Amino acid sequence: MSGSNPVPQPPTEPSGAARAASKPKRPKWLVPVIAGGCAVVLAAGGIGGCLYWNHDRLTAASEECATSYDKAVKARKKLTEYLKSDALQTAVTVKDSEVKDAKTVGTLASTVKAAEKTKTTVPECPSGNRADIEATTKEIDGLATAYAKTVNEVKGKADAVNASKTDKTVADATRILNDSKGRVKDDKVRAALENAIKSKDGKAISDAVKAVNDSIKAKSDADANAEAEKAKQAADNAAQAQTDNSGSYMGGTTGGYTGYTGGGYTYTPQQSTGGSTGGGYTPTPQPQPAPQPSQGGGGDDGYEDICWAVDTSGKPGVQVPCN
């Protein structure tokens, strides 16, 4: 069969030595990569596929770390802001005497003190080593969780203080509501206080309590003024009655009248005996003195004129010479 094409024969398998000589050597840096999971990739796509797979895993780890870092930073910021918030500062300044349960105040103080010492530095994500990146990511996630937990814990203790303060406010306001019955000038303020107590709104209760206290004072002042006016009126009435009694003095005033003598009679003011005698005076006849001998004067009738001096205070009159 000369001139015809020969039939191809199957290749001959090389000997063991030949196979060892023809097998390419792997670089030393590739050995740990294969140990880390590239064996399957190498089987499918060779060294290039293994390198691509390793790079992809490194990129994913870096992205995960970056996401965790951002989350932790936000959680840290939220904690920092809450520790400086007006809401927390207000709760921290509440005194034991202002709450129903004083233990809540001490618990909040210790919790805030511990929170302020919480680690606030978030580590940066490393690069180049996937194992280091994953370890750092785990640490960052732990910090983010701790920040969020601390915020919730402090907020819970602050809420407990505020609730205890509200409980005491409600209890005190209820007592004022009960004690003010019948003591306010306008009962509408008590109705407003009752509604505020039901709402448990601290400011509404405070405003309503003030209104009730003001109304109590207004009624108290009005009652005191009424009592003072009543006492003054009674005093004025008593003074007027005394003046009226003094005006009806028995015998009245004489206006300086000292009586007169003449014709053998002397008139002196007398106490009225109840009859109408012309101004309350009654002439009193006086005995005529015995005739006296003349002392040698001419034109003397032998009698001495005698006058009576009358005291306006009501004392008996006395005889005095008319001259």
Side-chain angles (χ1 to χ4, degrees), residues 58-76:
L58 183 63
T59 301
S62 297
E63 291 177 351
E64 183 179 357
C65 184
T67 300
S68 296
Y69 179 84
D70 291 340
K71 181 179 179 181
V73 169
K74 291 180 180 179
R76 179 189 63 184

Side-chain angles (χ1 to χ4, degrees), residues 14-286:
S15 63
R19 288 196 305 268
S22 63
K23 185 176 182 180
K25 293 183 179 180
R26 296 171 180 170
K28 292 181 179 180
W29 61 266
L30 189 59
V31 175
V33 174
I34 295 175
C38 279
V40 176
V41 178
L42 282 171
I47 295 175
C50 178
L51 292 176
Y52 179 81
W53 175 84
N54 188 58
H55 179 269
D56 185 61
R57 293 280 291 174
L58 183 63
T59 301
S62 297
E63 291 177 351
E64 183 179 357
C65 184
T67 300
S68 296
Y69 179 84
D70 291 340
K71 181 179 179 181
V73 169
K74 291 180 180 179
R76 179 189 63 184
K77 182 180 179 181
K78 184 176 181 181
L79 173 60
T80 302
E81 290 177 348
Y82 183 71
L83 291 176
K84 296 179 180 180
S85 67
D86 292 340
L88 179 61
Q89 295 305 313
T90 299
V92 170
T93 57
V94 173
K95 300 178 181 179
D96 294 353
S97 59
E98 297 176 325
V99 296
K100 192 172 183 179
D101 183 4
K103 292 181 180 179
T104 58
V105 175
T107 301
L108 174 61
S110 60
T111 302
V112 170
K113 186 176 181 180
E116 291 173 343
K117 296 180 179 180
T118 301
K119 182 179 180 181
T120 57
T121 301
V122 180
E124 299 284 346
C125 294
S127 60
N129 189 311
R130 185 166 61 87
D132 291 344
I133 294 175
E134 291 176 346
T136 302
T137 301
K138 185 176 181 180
E139 179 184 357
I140 293 175
D141 287 341
L143 286 174
T145 301
Y147 293 147
K149 181 179 179 181
T150 302
V151 170
N152 291 333
E153 185 177 6
V154 176
K155 189 175 185 300
K157 298 300 185 292
D159 290 344
V161 169
N162 293 330
S164 186
K165 182 179 179 180
T166 299
D167 290 343
K168 187 175 189 304
T169 299
V170 168
D172 293 344
T174 301
R175 186 179 66 254
I176 292 174
L177 177 65
N178 295 333
D179 293 345
S180 63
K181 186 175 182 180
R183 297 173 55 202
V184 293
K185 189 174 183 180
D186 183 0
D187 206 54
K188 291 181 180 179
V189 296
R190 294 185 69 253
L193 176 57
E194 185 175 8
N195 292 332
I197 290 174
K198 292 178 181 179
S199 72
K200 292 188 176 182
D201 185 321
K203 187 177 186 308
I205 293 175
S206 178
D207 293 343
V209 166
K210 182 180 183 303
V212 169
N213 288 333
D214 290 345
S215 188
I216 290 175
K217 185 177 184 303
K219 186 176 186 303
S220 178
D221 292 344
D223 291 346
N225 291 336
E227 287 295 326
E229 183 64 25
K230 183 178 180 181
K232 181 177 181 301
Q233 187 62 43
D236 291 344
N237 292 340
Q240 184 63 39
Q242 184 176 4
T243 301
D244 293 343
N245 291 337
S246 298
S248 60
Y249 168 71
M250 297 177 66
T253 179
T254 62
Y257 176 74
T258 58
Y260 64 91
T261 59
Y265 290 92
T266 300
Y267 289 87
T268 59
Q270 300 292 327
Q271 183 175 341
S272 174
T273 59
S276 176
T277 58
Y281 293 93
T282 302
T284 302
Q286 300 295 329

Side-chain angles (χ1 to χ4, degrees), residues 286-322:
Q286 300 295 329
Q288 294 183 358
Q292 298 294 327
S294 175
Q295 299 297 324
D300 191 350
D301 59 2
Y303 293 93
E304 180 181 5
D305 292 334
I306 302 299
C307 294
W308 287 84
V310 180
D311 193 334
T312 60
S313 64
K315 295 180 180 180
V318 293
Q319 292 181 349
V320 295
C322 291

